[in-house]
Amino acid sequence: MLKIGLTGGIATGKSTVSRLFRKKGIPIIDADLIARTVVEPGGKAIEGVKAAFPKCFDGDVLNRPALGREIFHDETKRQHLNQLMHPAIREEMKEQMRAYEASGESVVIFDIPLLFEGTMLDLVDYSVVVYCREEIQLMRLMERNGLTKEEALARIHSQIPIEEKKHQADFLVNNNGSLGDLPPQIDRLVEQFKAIEKEGE
C-alpha cells in the first residue's frame, strides 16, 4: 500500500486538494480531524490532556478556546500538549491505514498540515506539497480570515516557509492560479501514485 503525505502552508489550498483526492476515490486520513476526536469524551488522549489542563474542561468536554489561550504564548505548555496528543494521533492514523489496507485500498493519503514540522513524516512513503507564492498565500489568508497583514504574516511565519517545503516535496501541486488549474494536476498525480504502487507489487 502506497502512503502519501499531503501538506502545504496555511491558505495554500491544501483542504481543496484533499477534497479533490477524495473525489477521485483516494481515502484520506485527516490529522486535524483525528486531533479533535482523541480529546473527545472516550478519546485516546482525553485523560492525559484533562489531567494536565483541568481548567480547560467543562466536565468531560474540552473548551478549545480556553486551551488555545492556555498554550498560545507558552511554548513549554504547547510542547507538553503535543507530547500528550501525538502518540494517540499516530496510533489512530495507523489503525485507519490498516483498515483501508485490509479493505483492499492501494493508495492512502495522510492529510497532515505540519508534516515537515512534526513527527509524522516516517508514516509516509512520499510527500505532496500544495504550493503558492507567499504573496498569494498572504492575500488569501487576509481575505479568508479577515486578518491584518501583520496578523496574517505572524501565522504564515509560525510554519516552515512554503519555499522550503516546496524543496522538500516529492510531488508539487501548483496553486498559484485558479481553482480550475487543480483537477488536471490531481488526475496526473493519481495516475503516478497508481503506477508507483503497481511497480512495488
Side-chain angles (χ1 to χ4, degrees):
M1 185 192 221
L2 190 66
K3 300 176 285 292
I4 305 290
L6 175 66
T7 194
I10 190 167
T12 60
K14 181 186 64 62
S15 299
T16 304
V17 168
S18 186
R19 280 195 297 275
L20 289 169
F21 275 122
R22 191 177 266 123
K23 269 189 177 171
K24 295 288 291 179
I26 308 277
I28 307 286
I29 297 173
D30 186 329
D32 275 354
L33 197 59
I34 290 170
R36 287 180 166 277
T37 60
V38 296
V39 287
E40 284 174 357
K44 290 187 170 99
I46 189 167
E47 293 307 320
V49 174
K50 196 174 176 183
F53 301 95
K55 291 178 188 163
C56 300
F57 280 81
D58 307 315
D60 264 349
V61 179
L62 174 62
N63 182 331
R64 291 178 186 282
L67 183 63
R69 287 191 296 275
E70 180 102 3
I71 65 166
F72 189 68
H73 296 295
D74 191 323
E75 185 58 30
T76 306
K77 283 184 180 176
R78 186 157 65 236
Q79 283 181 3
H80 185 43
L81 179 67
N82 285 340
Q83 283 162 3
L84 291 167
M85 288 183 64
H86 278 181
I89 294 169
R90 279 180 73 93
E91 189 184 330
E92 179 62 32
M93 290 181 118
K94 284 179 164 181
E95 280 179 21
Q96 288 190 21
M97 177 195 76
R98 285 193 287 266
Y100 282 127
E101 193 166 22
S103 71
E105 296 289 350
S106 58
V107 181
V108 69
I109 286 177
F110 289 83
D111 182 337
I112 306 176
L114 301 178
L115 181 65
F116 296 129
E117 290 91 337
T119 56
M120 308 283 181
L121 199 54
D122 64 307
L123 291 176
V124 304
D125 302 312
Y126 296 96
S127 62
V128 175
V129 168
V130 184
Y131 168 80
C132 69
R133 294 190 306 277
E134 191 179 289
E135 63 267 26
I136 295 174
Q137 191 183 7
L138 177 63
M139 183 182 70
R140 286 177 182 161
L141 184 57
M142 287 168 68
E143 282 176 10
R144 187 186 80 185
N145 292 31
L147 301 175
T148 65
K149 187 177 181 180
E150 288 69 30
E151 287 168 337
L153 280 171
R155 293 192 185 192
I156 289 169
H157 292 155
S158 72
Q159 300 180 343
I160 293 174
I162 194 65
E163 293 297 331
E164 202 174 309
K165 289 185 180 183
K166 177 185 176 182
H167 293 300
Q168 289 187 51
D170 296 306
F171 300 94
L172 206 64
V173 174
N174 185 322
N175 194 22
N176 282 315
S178 69
L179 283 176
D181 297 338
L182 293 175
Q185 295 184 69
I186 302 311
D187 290 347
R188 279 197 300 275
L189 280 175
V190 169
E191 291 310 311
Q192 283 178 280
F193 297 159
K194 287 182 174 169
I196 292 168
E197 216 284 323
K198 272 204 165 59
E199 277 171 29
E201 280 178 2

